Amino acid sequence: MLLRYLARMPAILPALLVLALAAPGAAAQDLPPPWADDFASPTAFLACKGNPYALCYYSGPDQPTPRYGNVASPALPCSVSDSDAKGADCACYAITEKAIGPAEYNYVLIHSILNPQVRRETVAQCGELGRNCLNMVNQQKCAVLGNDPSCKPAPVCDYLGNIEKGTTQTLYPDQPETKLISTFSFVYSFNHPFASTDCPQSTGRYAGCMTAPCTTNEEGLTTCKCPIAEGPYQVGQNLSQFPGLGCDISPNVWSAANNLLSGRE
């Protein structure tokens, strides 16, 4: 069922699976700061479920980005904070109801956990590439072989809250106003031109929203405080379909990440 779901998307996930085999040690070397959201293997995307979360994958310009068919999408601006040039206030989707089926999982990039203690705890259990915990690659196998040690959810999942239990996040224990944590999922991938567009280092800055704290929840949206990163990155949409939009949308920034092997042969 999951494969049929993903087959309707562009081929970004199969490409990530190839990278998992191509660079087994890349993520453990010369680690960038966590807010850069760098990755070199899809196993680094740890699978969690049952938690509420914010989805900032499509955040960036002030205007709504193109959509498929008659499916409406809201504007999801990601603007550099007036009070903190190192942070961006990003409007993101709020996922507050329990999902079932292929969309039940959301993913945390292992080295992008902004809480240092939780990051260390998670890496200690899951390994540098996340292979010792439930992740984007092994989740289908784990649906059948759930007793395998590598199928255990990552420690970070326990800090994201639980919808059924009504518990909130504990990743930021000193921030009671934080209700949601920004993660990644394939929800809303049919609303947007889901893809990957390379943006060069010369483009400038982007928002690294993975595990960022999110404080409001109105009309299905939330606002996340995302750190600003600099360097090459990929926007998770096909920008060739966006008239008048490119990598540089200043004064706004894209919510983005950096595939460390992008563009390499």
Side-chain angles (χ1 to χ4, degrees), residues 3-28:
L3 289 179
R4 290 199 300 270
Y5 177 79
L6 295 178
R8 298 172 56 192
M9 299 179 185
I12 185 172
L13 184 57
L16 289 176
L17 295 176
V18 171
L19 296 181
L21 301 175

Side-chain angles (χ1 to χ4, degrees), residues 128-226:
E128 292 287 347
L129 292 176
R131 291 175 176 169
N132 299 331
C133 292
L134 187 66
N135 60 67
M136 186 181 285
V137 176
N138 71 5
Q139 67 182 55
Q140 190 176 27
K141 178 198 75 173
C142 289
V144 179
L145 303 174
N147 60 341
D148 189 288
S150 66
C151 295
K152 186 176 180 180
V156 66
C157 297
D158 293 333
Y159 292 86
L160 303 180
N162 185 280
I163 294 173
E164 288 190 339
K165 295 179 180 179
T167 57
T168 58
Q169 66 83 26
T170 54
L171 193 66
Y172 300 97
D174 58 342
Q175 298 182 26
E177 71 279 7
T178 294
K179 303 302 181 183
L180 300 174
I181 302 298
S182 172
T183 66
F184 168 75
S185 80
F186 292 109
V187 175
Y188 291 105
S189 61
F190 296 148
N191 296 52
H192 301 269
F194 187 91
S196 181
T197 301
D198 285 319
C199 293
Q201 184 169 356
S202 60
T203 303
R205 304 184 298 170
Y206 63 98
C209 290
M210 179 61 69
T211 73
C214 310
T215 55
T216 61
N217 184 1
E218 299 177 359
E219 299 180 355
L221 300 181
T222 186
T223 301
C224 301
K225 188 70 173 180
C226 302

Side-chain angles (χ1 to χ4, degrees), residues 3-136:
L3 289 179
R4 290 199 300 270
Y5 177 79
L6 295 178
R8 298 172 56 192
M9 299 179 185
I12 185 172
L13 184 57
L16 289 176
L17 295 176
V18 171
L19 296 181
L21 301 175
Q29 301 173 2
D30 302 323
L31 290 178
W35 55 87
D37 290 352
D38 286 13
F39 68 95
S41 169
T43 60
F45 287 87
L46 305 170
C48 303
K49 65 179 181 178
N51 57 284
Y53 62 94
L55 177 62
C56 298
Y57 189 75
Y58 304 102
S59 301
D62 287 329
Q63 65 269 45
T65 55
R67 58 188 185 271
Y68 289 127
N70 295 321
V71 179
S73 58
L76 299 169
C78 196
S79 57
V80 178
S81 173
D82 292 335
S83 60
D84 181 8
K86 296 183 179 180
D89 297 316
C90 299
C92 309
Y93 289 112
I95 314 299
T96 57
E97 297 182 1
K98 184 178 179 180
I100 59 175
E104 66 180 333
Y105 289 104
N106 62 103
Y107 303 93
V108 174
L109 189 55
I110 188 168
H111 287 292
S112 295
I113 301 170
L114 297 178
N115 180 313
Q117 178 180 344
V118 177
R119 185 172 66 251
R120 289 191 294 268
E121 177 186 355
T122 300
V123 171
Q125 177 174 311
C126 302
E128 292 287 347
L129 292 176
R131 291 175 176 169
N132 299 331
C133 292
L134 187 66
N135 60 67
M136 186 181 285

